[in-house]
Amino acid sequence: MTLPANYRCPRCGARSSVSALTWCCPGCQGPWDLDFRAAPVPLAALPGRTGSLWRYEEALPLADPGCSLGEGRTPLVRLTDTVSAKLDFLMPTLSFKDRGAVMLAELARRLGPRRVIADSSGNAGTAMAAYCARAGLHCTVYVPEGTSAKKLEQIRAHGARLTVVPGDREAAARAAREAAGEPGTFYASHVHNPFFLHGTKTYVYELWEDLGGRLPDTLVLPVGNGTLLLGAALATAELHAHGLIPSRPALIAVQAEAVAPLAEAFRAGAGELIAPAQARPTLAEGIAIPNPPRARQILRAVRESGGTFLTVTEDRIRAAQLDLAARGLFVESTGVACWAAVRARPQAGSTVVPLCGAGAKTGLAPA
């Protein structure tokens, strides 16, 4: 078994072997980063490779997967003269979370834990349930009450044990963290484990390939826990460091106006959260995270890219979902947040937005 050597804490510098089942820094309880240096991906060699995200093997900390479902390589379609959408809802479990979930499941498959646990508001849980089933791993998923019934059905269908936790998204996370300390448990945290980010970064590698070795001027990305945005920041940094792009695109982070602690901190010029947000109902439930553990990293990544934060109202989310449906794209309400933001505030130059989850998972947003 070949694995990268260490997890590294970006706050205090502590380290842990990847082979250990440590899900966070034991000193400060913060999320891990990974000691991994990506090699340049040869653009000219890509056409003959596998048609999944594993085609970017030089950039990935794991190779030769045993639990792939063919994830990745989602279409890029034009919405306007300057805005294109990447259809990441066309994944095996119908959301972009497959990009990171396959990395966590592959890591768990190689480590051989007694069980895998995950927590989620829905999409990450369905993805982990599917990939653990593919890998032959026992999986338990903790979700908050109020999670979409269709997502619960999907988790159960994959054979995972489902634990519905009274309360909000943070209550589900607390329950999972408590269970993570049991011997032989691999906590497949899409927030704390950096392998997930090295999966989501393939979103940008695909754009780079499909656009002939370049990237758009602006990447607009939804932010709750920030896993897609931080993956995008990893990829743009790697491509720029290897001389494969001349400059890095601006990262525009989108939050629901109802739960926007990162947008508030950014506008105040803070390097971390001013205070956790109040948990309020929002149609963009997948990004309604009051206290994201990687807040410092998210704020720094947006600032370093020259980007900013945008927020969207519930009315704009509803309107964006209907607008996309009228264009032939049925996307869940969280997944339309970036299009809602761009419709309200168009960006200069070429722009790409992700459509992150299928509308079949939740239905139309109520009026």
Side-chain angles (χ1 to χ4, degrees):
M1 178 177 65
T2 302
L3 292 171
N6 290 306
Y7 292 128
R8 173 179 50 81
C9 177
R11 290 188 179 184
C12 68
R15 295 176 185 270
S16 173
S17 170
V18 167
S19 61
L21 299 178
T22 52
W23 62 268
C24 70
C25 173
C28 65
Q29 283 72 58
W32 291 119
D33 281 351
L34 188 65
D35 277 340
F36 171 73
R37 186 178 295 275
V41 174
L43 184 64
L46 293 177
R49 293 188 177 183
T50 184
S52 72
L53 63 81
W54 300 93
R55 67 200 281 111
Y56 311 109
E57 58 186 359
E58 293 87 355
L60 297 176
L62 298 173
D64 302 318
C67 63
S68 175
L69 290 167
E71 56 287 328
R73 301 299 293 136
T74 55
L76 184 67
V77 300
R78 187 173 292 278
L79 295 180
T80 72
D81 289 343
T82 59
V83 182
S84 295
K86 188 156 174 60
L87 310 191
D88 253 27
F89 65 88
L90 298 180
M91 288 277 197
T93 76
L94 307 182
S95 90
F96 87 94
K97 295 289 176 63
D98 289 7
R99 294 185 183 276
V102 69
M103 297 294 289
L104 293 183
E106 181 61 23
L107 176 60
R109 187 183 72 85
R110 299 184 189 199
L111 294 177
R114 182 173 57 84
R115 66 167 184 162
V116 175
I117 64 171
D119 60 277
S120 170
S121 61
N123 284 336
T126 61
M128 284 310 307
Y131 283 97
C132 283
R134 181 74 166 177
L137 297 165
H138 295 287
C139 180
T140 299
V141 181
Y142 293 79
V143 299
E145 60 184 359
T147 298
S148 163
K150 294 179 181 180
K151 293 178 182 180
L152 300 182
E153 182 179 9
Q154 189 178 2
I155 291 169
R156 290 192 183 100
H158 291 306
R161 179 183 176 186
L162 187 64
T163 300
V164 179
V165 180
D168 60 12
R169 176 68 182 83
E170 181 54 31
R174 285 195 301 268
R177 292 194 294 265
E178 289 172 6
E182 296 180 16
T185 298
F186 177 83
Y187 181 22
S189 171
H190 60 289
V191 180
H192 288 82
N193 193 302
F195 278 83
F196 196 92
L197 307 182
H198 284 273
T200 61
K201 76 181 181 183
T202 59
Y203 172 89
V204 167
Y205 275 92
E206 290 178 17
L207 290 176
W208 170 73
E209 180 184 359
D210 288 344
L211 295 174
R214 62 183 180 85
L215 288 176
D217 299 309
T218 304
L219 294 172
V220 182
L221 300 154
V223 174
N225 278 309
T227 55
L228 185 54
L229 184 138
L230 290 173
L234 270 174
T236 58
E238 290 169 359
L239 289 166
H240 189 246
H242 294 141
L244 296 173
I245 54 173
S247 60
R248 297 164 66 175
L251 303 179
I252 308 297
V254 178
Q255 295 207 285
E257 188 175 279
V259 184
L262 290 160
E264 179 185 358
F266 184 88
R267 291 164 183 166
E272 56 187 344
L273 290 190
I274 299 169
Q278 180 181 349
R280 296 174 180 168
T282 174
L283 296 171
E285 61 181 5
I287 55 173
I289 307 298
N291 190 19
R294 293 189 185 270
R296 291 183 184 180
Q297 291 174 286
I298 296 165
L299 291 165
R300 183 171 64 248
V302 172
R303 286 197 175 99
E304 288 179 351
S305 77
T308 190
F309 273 79
L310 301 176
T311 58
V312 289
T313 65
E314 303 301 292
D315 286 344
R316 290 195 184 279
I317 292 171
R318 288 189 193 92
Q321 188 183 39
L322 292 172
D323 178 78
L324 285 172
R327 298 167 185 260
L329 300 167
F330 187 29
V331 183
E332 68 174 334
S333 50
T334 295
V336 307
C338 291
W339 177 233
V342 170
R343 289 181 78 213
R345 185 175 168 182
Q347 303 299 303
S350 57
T351 300
V352 171
V353 300
L355 304 183
C356 297
K361 284 177 171 260
T362 57
L364 280 172

